[in-house]
Every structure is written in structure tokens, then in C-alpha cells.
Amino acid sequence: MKTYDIVIIGGGPAGLAAAVSARKQGEESIVILERDKELGGILNQCIHNGFGLHTFQEELTGPEYAARFMKQVEELGIEYRLNTMVVEISSDKVVTAMSRRDGMYQIRAKALILAMGCRERARGALNIPGYRPAGIYSAGTAQRLVNKEGFMPGRKVVILGSGDIGLIMARRMTLEGAEVKVVAELMPYSGGLKRNIVQCLDDYDIPLKLSHTVIDIKGKERVEGIVLAEVDETNRPIPGTEEFYECDTLLLSVGLIPENELSAQMGIALSNVTSGPVVDESLETNLDGVFACGNVLHVHDLVDFVSEEAATAGKNAACYVKNERMKSGISIPIKAENGVRYTVPSRIDPERMEEKQIVRFRVGKVYKNCRICAFLDGEQIISRKRPVVAPGEMEQVILKKEWFEQPPECTDGSGHELIIRIEE
Ligand SMILES: Cc1cc2nc3c(=O)[nH]c(=O)nc-3n(C[C@H](O)[C@H](O)[C@H](O)COP(=O)(O)OP(=O)(O)OC[C@H]3O[C@@H](n4cnc5c(N)ncnc54)[C@H](O)[C@@H]3O)c2cc1C
């Protein structure tokens, strides 16, 4: 069985940035396994612009952004295998993969980087009554059909869910000549970035109906229309608020789920909130030498942050192989409280953390004129004023290593206590 120092599962932006970073640390033996016929992941179908403002200070399309990393992978001579599906990973890092060319085979990894991205939540998860007519697509499938395969899914469109992919597709379908009648959102706020609401809905006069959902799909062979209703605080449809929209297509943009079947199988602890692995400051999971980055870890709104995070995973995987940066044995859990739903990482080793450690998180609802606060052993170390924070936009705090150099002041012997919370 061939052994590689680092095996990376997934050749999307996360896998590519992790590979480049590991190679720049001097790591020679790396392979990327990608099930698709090309590298680049989901970015290959995101042909709109807006990518790369942080990483390259330029506005790129998705394929252009991915190409920058693919070029580096080529130039650095990093090995990758396309059309290669990873079907199993054992807890001792033996990867079982298959491809049409090589059949089924196994490779051993000294360190593993999980970068499998995420998938879209499908209609089956929503319990919408009605037949199973043609014309119901996930927004990502519609994006692929329009942008890569040259097919129009339909002409009169309703979109359920106002996450970024739904918003982007509202504009895309309009530009391709379809009539987007409405975007409906179950929650009282949008799940997407503010800039996408302005640029994709407001600029095209597409209505956004918050606190609304689809309660019926009409049509047996093909979608003929949908019934929309307002929902109450418990998300139940309010009788008497039903409205019929004639349409031939319903696009669903109702959430992304990190692809962690392989991770769960190999014994990686997953967060109940993100459905991604629980990781420490090095983005290492509970299994030694197994790292995670990108959308498999938690769903990102900007690919620039995916690349940045993946570079950290790649660098730390390379250090792990070289036996650098051993664990100190101290692990400080980060408690997410009062509006903060989760944090990545969720624990830090004060010796291994960078001088400046970024901690990313999402909030559970919209807060106006609030503060993002962090407390170490009861003492406030961060208090940042924010006019508005919303679940659709990822937030972050930066922890300084020097804050952890003092021994913990709590007396129960359990070590430092770190809390991140929203204060109104
Ligand atoms: C449909 C969709 C549309 C999106 N549109 C936008 C957008 O317009 N703008 C934006 O900023 N972000 C968008 N995103 C978010 C975007 O996914 C992230 O910013 C970024 O692409 C995440 O990178 P990643 O490498 O983690 O995941 P991905 O880009 O999804 O890459 C994961 C890769 O892993 C591979 N893989 C998975 N499982 C296996 C396996 N078992 N074996 C081998 N290979 C495997 C996949 O084939 C894929 O290539 C979109 C996401 C989705 C799902």
C-alpha cells in the first residue's frame, strides 16, 4: 500500500489551498483525491463575480478564483487524482478510493485533510405536500444546468430560501430571461449576505417575502404553481394568508449540509450545530493528524475565508508530519453563549495557537446595536460594537496569544474559561 505524508480529500478551493500551503512548508509527499473530472469544486459553476476581494484584492468569478489555486498546484507539482471517489477512511488513516481507471485501491496517510465541501438540503427534508412533478430543483442544480450545461430549468420561477445561492440564482434566472416571481424565506430575516439582497433582488425588483413558506405544490407532471403562506413565530402557516403563484419551476435554497459521512464513519466527533468536525486551533479533529477545512467544517459565505482557513490546515498538517508543534496537553474550550451558536475552533491550545488566533462564528438571530464580547476567566478581553449582526454573515474575533500567557485565575483547577457572547 502506498503511503503519502498528506492525503487531501476534495479538490475544491479548500483542498487546493491546503495542498499549496503544505507544499510551501516543504512537504513533498502530498496527493489530492477529487471525485469530479476537474479541480475547483463548486466554484466552477459560480460564474458571477465577487470572489477574491480579500485574497487577491481583485474581483474575480468563481472559475477565475479556482484557477489561481489550480495554477499554483500545477506549478508546485502537487499530485492529484481526478474521477477518484473516496469511499471509506479508517481511523488509522487508510483511505479507500475508487476510479474507473484504477479500480478500488487503498493508500495510507500520515496526515489527512478533510475538504469534501457540502451538499444542498433537498425537497425530501421539507415535507412539502404535493406530487413529484418535474420543475423542482435545488438552486445549486439549477446553477449547474444554466452555467455549465446550457439548459434553462424553466421560465416562471419561485425560489424558496434566501441563502446566497438562492439570491444569486434569482438574478441569474432573470438575466437568462426567466420571470422570478418571488423569493420566500421561512425566517424573519434573510439567510444571505446583505450585498446579495441588494445586488440580486432589489436591483431587479424581485420581491423577498420573509416569514413565508411554500405549503403546496400544484401540478402532477410539471409544476403548475405553488401556494405560499405567511408563518407565525413557531413557523406554522397562518390560515387565511395563502397566495397562489403560477410558475413552472420551484428552486430550493434551503440550507447546505457539510459532507461528513466519511468523517462520522471514521470516528470524528461532529458538532450538533454545524454538522462539521469539532476542531482545535490547528483545525485538527479529535483524531490525531486528521484536519478539516472549508465547507466540510462549517458553511462559509466567502471563499476567501475558506482559502485562509485551508492554508492553516495545510500548514498544521505539514507540521504534524514533521513532528513539530506537539500538543501541550492544555485545551481551553470556547463556550458559545447568548446568541453565538458555535465557534470554529471550539477549543484552543494556548501554546500552539498563533500570535493572533481567528475564531469564527455565526449568531442565531438578527441583533442590532449590539456588542461582540469575549471573556477570559470572567474578565472582558474583547468588546466590539456592531450596528447589526445576522445569521447570514459570518462573524469573527481575534484572540491574542499573550492573553493566555498568565496562568488561569479560576481556582477550581479546570484551567482558563473562555466565553464568546453577544451583549445587547
Ligand atoms: C451549490 C453551491 C453554490 C455556491 N455558490 C457560491 C457562490 O456563488 N459564492 C460563494 O462565495 N460561495 C458559494 N458557495 C459556497 C462555496 O461552496 C464555498 O465558498 C467554497 O466553494 C467551499 O470550498 P470547499 O473546497 O470547502 O468545497 P467545494 O467547493 O464544495 O469542494 C469540495 C470538493 O470535494 C469533492 N469531494 C467531496 N466528497 C468527496 C469524496 N468522497 N471523494 C473525493 N472527492 C470528494 C467534491 O467533488 C468537491 O470538488 C456555493 C456552494 C454551493 C454548494
Side-chain angles (χ1 to χ4, degrees):
M1 194 191 307
K2 188 161 182 182
T3 298
Y4 284 88
D5 282 354
I6 300 180
V7 176
I8 300 173
I9 322 292
L16 296 175
V20 167
S21 159
R23 173 59 51 93
K24 287 183 177 166
Q25 290 294 310
E27 187 48 67
E28 284 300 319
S29 164
I30 305 172
V31 65
I32 304 171
L33 304 178
E34 168 55 54
R35 68 182 170 195
D36 210 341
K37 61 180 191 298
E38 58 192 346
L39 294 174
I42 207 80
L43 288 193
N44 289 323
Q45 67 182 55
C46 302
I47 63 169
H48 54 279
N49 60 1
F51 297 87
L53 284 168
H54 295 258
T55 313
F56 300 110
Q57 287 77 50
E58 271 181 77
E59 205 171 342
L60 305 172
T61 63
E64 284 170 339
Y65 184 95
R68 298 262 172 123
F69 282 91
M70 278 142 74
K71 188 163 173 261
Q72 291 185 64
V73 164
E74 296 288 355
E75 284 170 358
L76 293 167
I78 297 170
E79 183 181 340
Y80 58 88
R81 299 186 193 176
L82 300 176
N83 301 305
T84 300
M85 176 86 180
V86 173
V87 290
E88 199 180 324
I89 313 172
S90 69
S91 54
D92 58 349
K93 304 189 211 98
V94 174
V95 176
T96 307
M98 55 193 267
S99 74
R100 213 170 256 192
R101 203 192 63 187
D102 301 319
M104 193 174 267
Y105 60 92
Q106 291 190 315
I107 49 181
R108 188 178 290 282
K110 289 186 188 162
L112 260 176
I113 301 179
L114 306 173
M116 292 90 78
C118 59
R119 63 168 183 272
E120 295 177 282
R121 187 166 282 130
R123 178 191 172 183
L126 298 181
N127 290 328
I128 307 173
Y131 292 99
R132 297 178 146 260
I136 305 173
Y137 301 85
S138 72
T141 302
Q143 189 179 48
R144 195 188 70 238
L145 289 173
V146 175
N147 292 350
K148 287 190 80 178
E149 295 175 26
F151 294 113
M152 267 300 267
R155 294 280 159 197
K156 292 179 186 169
V157 182
V158 169
I159 300 180
L160 176 61
S162 63
D164 289 316
I165 311 171
L167 299 176
I168 297 281
M169 281 313 290
R171 177 176 64 183
R172 189 80 193 109
M173 294 298 284
T174 306
L175 291 173
E176 288 297 329
E179 182 194 356
V180 178
K181 300 206 161 179
V182 66
V183 175
E185 167 61 56
L186 180 72
M187 304 310 286
Y189 47 80
S190 163
L193 295 172
K194 180 79 185 140
R195 78 170 193 207
N196 282 338
I197 296 171
V198 174
Q199 292 173 4
C200 301
L201 300 189
D202 298 354
D203 286 358
Y204 296 88
D205 291 328
I206 300 169
L208 169 63
K209 288 204 155 195
L210 299 174
S211 300
H212 277 73
T213 194
V214 173
I215 57 160
D216 199 7
I217 300 170
K218 304 286 187 195
K220 203 166 179 184
E221 299 301 322
R222 172 89 205 186
V223 174
E224 290 167 10
I226 59 97
V227 179
L228 211 62
E230 195 175 343
V231 295
D232 62 20
E233 313 77 62
T234 60
N235 295 338
R236 281 175 204 274
I238 303 171
T241 63
E242 300 85 356
E243 281 175 283
F244 176 74
Y245 285 84
E246 191 213 338
C247 62
D248 57 22
T249 304
L250 173 65
L251 299 189
L252 302 174
S253 174
V254 288
L256 298 171
I257 307 167
E259 289 258 17
N260 277 301
E261 283 68 23
L262 290 173
S263 325
Q265 234 177 43
M266 68 184 291
I268 287 179
L270 302 180
S271 150
N272 289 334
V273 182
T274 61
S275 304
V278 174
V279 291
D280 64 13
E281 76 302 317
S282 304
L283 303 183
E284 192 173 7
T285 65
N286 59 311
L287 295 189
D288 245 23
V290 182
F291 299 79
C293 55
N295 277 2
V296 82
L297 182 54
H298 59 147
V299 175
H300 292 69
D301 23 76
L302 291 178
V303 72
D304 304 70
F305 295 151
V306 168
S307 307
E308 184 192 296
E309 190 181 271
T312 302
K315 180 177 146 204
N316 290 324
C319 291
Y320 172 86
V321 171
K322 288 187 269 182
N323 260 333
E324 293 169 358
R325 301 181 79 219
M326 300 295 283
K327 282 184 187 165
S328 72
I330 302 169
S331 180
I332 305 171
I334 306 178
K335 283 192 195 161
E337 274 189 4
N338 199 37
V340 177
R341 293 186 65 228
Y342 70 89
T343 65
V344 170
S346 61
R347 54 177 197 272
I348 49 173
D349 178 330
E351 272 182 37
R352 295 206 306 177
M353 74 188 280
E354 301 289 338
E355 289 304 320
K356 287 186 177 171
Q357 174 77 44
I358 297 177
V359 177
R360 297 213 158 96
F361 63 90
R362 283 184 195 269
V363 292
K365 61 175 192 158
V366 176
Y367 291 90
K368 290 194 172 149
N369 298 319
C370 62
R371 286 181 175 276
I372 295 174
C373 298
F375 297 85
L376 181 62
D377 302 334
E379 192 186 320
Q380 192 165 58
I381 48 171
I382 294 171
S383 172
R384 192 155 50 91
K385 212 169 168 190
R386 298 281 279 119
V388 61
V389 293
E393 316 231 355
M394 198 182 275
E395 296 290 336
Q396 68 176 45
V397 292
I398 298 177
L399 302 176
K400 292 186 189 160
K401 192 180 174 93
E402 66 197 55
W403 294 339
F404 297 86
E405 275 157 10
Q406 300 299 322
E409 282 180 12
C410 39
T411 50
D412 63 358
S414 59
H416 284 298
E417 186 185 60
L418 181 57
I419 296 172
I420 299 180
R421 53 186 287 146
I422 300 297
E423 298 210 332
E424 286 177 273

